[in-house]
Amino acid sequence: MNPKSIAIVGAAETTRLGVIPDMSQIQLHADAALNAMADAGLKPADIDGIATAGETPVTVAHYLGLTPKWVDGTAVGGCSFMIHVRHAAAAIASGLCRTVLITHGESGRSGVGRTRNVVAPTSLAGQFEQPYGPMGPPTLFTIPVLRYMKTYGLSHEQLAMVSVVQREWAAKNPRATFKTPITVDDVLNSRMIAYPFRLLQCCLVTDGGGALIMVAAERGRDFPQKPVYILGTGESVETPMVSQMQDFTSSRAFRVAGPTAFAEAGITHQDVDHLMIYDAFAHLPIYGLEDLGFVPRGEGGAFIAERNTAPGPNLKLPLNTNGGGLSYMHSGMYGMYALQESVRQMRGTAPAQIPGAKISVCHGVGGMFAASGTIIMSNEPP
Amino acid sequence: MSEARRARPQPTPETQHFWDGTRAGELRLQRCNACGKVYFPPRPFCPACAAREVSVFAASGKGRLYSYVIHHRPVPGFTPPYAIAVVELDEGPRLMTNIIGCPQTPEALQLDMPVEVVFEKLDDEITLPLFRPVAR
């Protein structure tokens, strides 16, 4: 894909976010898709490509009344949607389809009509991780962190500051689930979930969805909204077992996806005005900052704790400006919401808008460091 | 602790040697005959060089505590708080396990402390490799 050859022309979340017990998972997909189509001024007949995760693309296409020529059901966890954006860009660029809809919907809190990921007892994770008592992401995603802390001297207070800073961004966002300011002490006194992680260092569990619509850039101005151009993309996977990741202080999938996207975009870190790093847990922005090359190894925690990413006079790199998975919302596969915030920032419509922002980097993780996708956007026309 | 209610692994043809090993009191790893790579989890080829000629051997059962969390919520078969740990074996590979024979606290669970395998029988077919601290 050539930089800025593809544009996002429709973007929307579900009408409501948070607790939505009156909608099933598939309807959350549809609610977001209908909002995105309205945003772009399109009808189902205008869509000829569909990508989704959680539900199959068959289910979503049928439910919405689509007749796609191109489908992508890549489902590698929460960054699936970044990877869908990448695949859709390539598909549109090569002429496989013209107008792609990407949907996400998840009844993470209410559990209505939810598809579940079951770890088969015959799988390698089922044989070599599950017998030792993990219970989902809070007990698995967090396992590498003590090794990181010992290697680089990251303190509990620095790790707590990730949650504190993101709550400051959330306070600016009317749709954020949690907006009340918190302190490092609040974080370190919150309920222990899986040492060293306490409740306020773990993501929310909410209901919601989001959808994107993508077309070739030459059609970008045919739609009601300011087009957002795709500048660079990257993706990778590492392992379905967190115990087997090569380096507990760094994600190999991050180190492939991020630099691939930067190389395609042809930009340097100094060019980045806005950054989203998928924060299912408080350590992820630290790993992301380092693996994407924004700060040297071992310095991510101090960079955040010293308020370089926080609202205020020290702000150098606005990070997770919607409040993130820690305070905004997290339905389970958060990547779609990170993408939505990058689009809002590029359109100039974010609640905590970064003045003059021209380039946004949106970096996602899937599974427990299992997968990664990076999307770099620009609001400057080609 | 009600061990019988833990998630129970179900061996496949490619992993059966490992579970036969733990039942016999051995922690079995695999080594590539071509490149010498020692690897885990089990598979009948080398993940480094793709050679199909690999050997199964009994590891020392010694290693060090590499990382962990201490889970504070209830899970079937476990009494919280309990540590879910990763041990790095002397032979190189890392594996998830539990650390027994010591308090489940950050003070008792020091990274890099030496540990050794202990075999915990779940039932007639499955014995799990757990680890305990050891003086070295």
Side-chain angles (χ1 to χ4, degrees):
Chain A
M1 184 206 72
N2 291 322
K4 298 188 181 179
S5 64
I6 306 295
I8 294 171
V9 296
E13 294 172 346
T14 42
T15 306
R16 287 173 286 152
L17 290 179
V19 184
I20 315 174
D22 54 316
M23 276 192 205
S24 65
Q25 177 175 289
I26 183 65
Q27 183 57 30
L28 291 165
H29 279 256
D31 186 60
L34 294 171
N35 286 342
M37 284 191 274
D39 186 59
L42 293 174
K43 296 293 181 194
D46 301 317
I47 306 291
D48 67 354
I50 177 74
T52 194
E55 296 285 351
T56 72
V58 181
T59 304
V60 173
H62 173 258
Y63 197 70
L64 289 170
L66 309 179
T67 306
K69 290 176 181 163
W70 176 85
V71 300
D72 181 9
T74 300
V76 292
C79 67
S80 298
F81 313 102
M82 283 81 172
I83 295 178
H84 294 155
V85 168
R86 184 170 204 244
H87 294 180
I92 294 166
S94 64
L96 299 182
C97 53
R98 280 169 49 85
T99 309
V100 171
L101 172 68
I102 302 171
T103 71
H104 160 71
E106 202 164 17
S107 184
R109 182 168 196 92
S110 301
V112 184
R114 180 165 51 180
T115 50
R116 284 198 168 275
N117 297 325
V118 176
V119 181
T122 50
S123 68
L124 291 177
Q127 294 185 63
F128 299 109
E129 289 194 339
Q130 289 299 307
Y132 306 106
M135 191 173 67
T139 55
L140 289 169
F141 223 153
T142 50
I143 281 190
V145 174
L146 284 182
R147 174 54 55 182
Y148 180 102
M149 294 174 85
K150 177 161 183 178
T151 302
Y152 291 118
L154 175 74
S155 69
H156 292 281
E157 289 74 16
Q158 286 172 326
L159 189 56
M161 269 299 282
V162 176
S163 307
V164 171
V165 166
Q166 293 203 190
R167 185 63 62 87
E168 293 178 25
W169 285 113
K172 299 173 178 291
N173 188 343
R175 267 162 73 89
T177 302
F178 290 136
K179 293 185 273 288
T180 309
I182 51 174
T183 65
V184 167
D185 282 347
D186 291 335
V187 176
L188 295 181
N189 289 322
S190 63
R191 183 160 56 92
M192 186 65 85
I193 300 296
Y195 174 87
F197 280 76
R198 293 175 180 273
L199 182 66
L200 292 177
Q201 294 166 312
C202 303
C203 67
L204 305 167
V205 183
T206 50
D207 305 325
L212 295 168
I213 296 173
M214 296 170 61
V215 300
E218 59 260 30
R219 295 175 61 204
R221 294 195 179 277
D222 301 343
F223 300 88
Q225 305 293 340
K226 182 178 179 179
V228 175
Y229 301 96
I230 305 299
L231 204 50
T233 63
E235 67 187 282
S236 191
V237 295
E238 184 176 354
T239 168
M241 304 168 73
V242 72
S243 63
Q244 300 306 312
M245 66 188 292
Q246 282 179 353
D247 181 346
F248 275 33
T249 71
S250 168
S251 161
R252 190 190 76 185
F254 286 13
R255 297 196 313 274
V256 174
T260 302
F262 272 80
E264 185 177 45
I267 62 166
T268 68
H269 294 86
Q270 286 68 41
D271 297 323
V272 177
D273 303 307
H274 172 253
L275 176 62
M276 298 296 293
I277 299 177
Y278 189 130
D279 59 322
F281 295 90
H283 59 307
L284 286 163
I286 297 171
Y287 280 60
L289 282 169
E290 296 175 16
D291 287 339
L292 267 56
F294 284 97
V295 300
R297 295 284 288 271
E299 295 182 14
F303 187 77
I304 291 172
E306 289 161 9
R307 303 191 58 83
N308 290 293
T309 66
N314 287 4
L315 179 61
K316 290 196 186 74
L317 180 60
L319 170 64
N320 292 342
T321 49
N322 60 352
L326 294 174
S327 286
Y328 178 59
M329 87 84 66
H330 195 297
S331 57
M333 293 192 289
Y334 166 80
M336 176 57 80
Y337 309 97
L339 288 164
Q340 295 287 335
E341 175 67 6
S342 283
V343 170
R344 286 191 294 263
Q345 289 286 348
M346 292 297 92
R347 286 179 171 183
T349 60
Q353 181 62 41
I354 305 305
K358 294 184 177 67
I359 292 180
S360 175
V361 172
C362 189
H363 179 73
V365 68
M368 274 57 81
F369 288 120
S372 185
T374 309
I375 301 298
I376 304 180
M377 304 180 197
S378 167
N379 55 15
E380 293 189 311
Chain B
M1 215 188 254
S2 170
E3 296 293 340
R5 294 187 299 134
R6 283 179 188 242
R8 184 184 181 283
Q10 195 172 317
T12 57
E14 297 80 19
T15 65
Q16 187 63 53
H17 68 271
F18 180 89
W19 297 112
D20 289 345
T22 54
R23 205 170 51 202
E26 284 186 0
L27 187 65
R28 292 180 183 166
L29 295 176
Q30 288 169 301
R31 181 186 288 117
C32 176
N33 293 357
C35 76
K37 169 87 173 174
V38 176
Y39 64 89
F40 177 88
R43 72 209 85 164
F45 60 93
C46 173
C49 77
R52 289 177 183 268
E53 293 72 35
V54 299
S55 304
V56 173
F57 69 99
S60 66
K62 309 271 188 210
R64 61 179 178 131
L65 179 58
Y66 194 71
S67 204
Y68 65 90
V69 294
I70 303 172
H71 195 205
H72 283 249
R73 293 193 293 173
V75 167
F78 292 85
T79 305
Y82 64 95
I84 305 164
V86 172
V87 162
E88 183 170 273
L89 299 172
D90 284 357
E91 291 81 1
R94 300 183 192 126
L95 76 176
M96 190 172 283
T97 188
N98 301 120
I99 306 297
I100 63 172
C102 76
Q104 304 292 288
T105 62
E107 294 71 30
L109 295 163
Q110 293 290 328
L111 292 200
D112 300 314
M113 73 180 189
V115 294
E116 67 179 6
V117 71
V118 184
F119 294 102
E120 175 112 353
K121 183 177 175 178
L122 269 195
D123 56 37
D124 286 346
E125 282 180 55
I126 297 294
T127 294
L128 292 176
L130 306 185
F131 285 77
R132 68 181 172 208
V134 60
R136 247 196 228 186

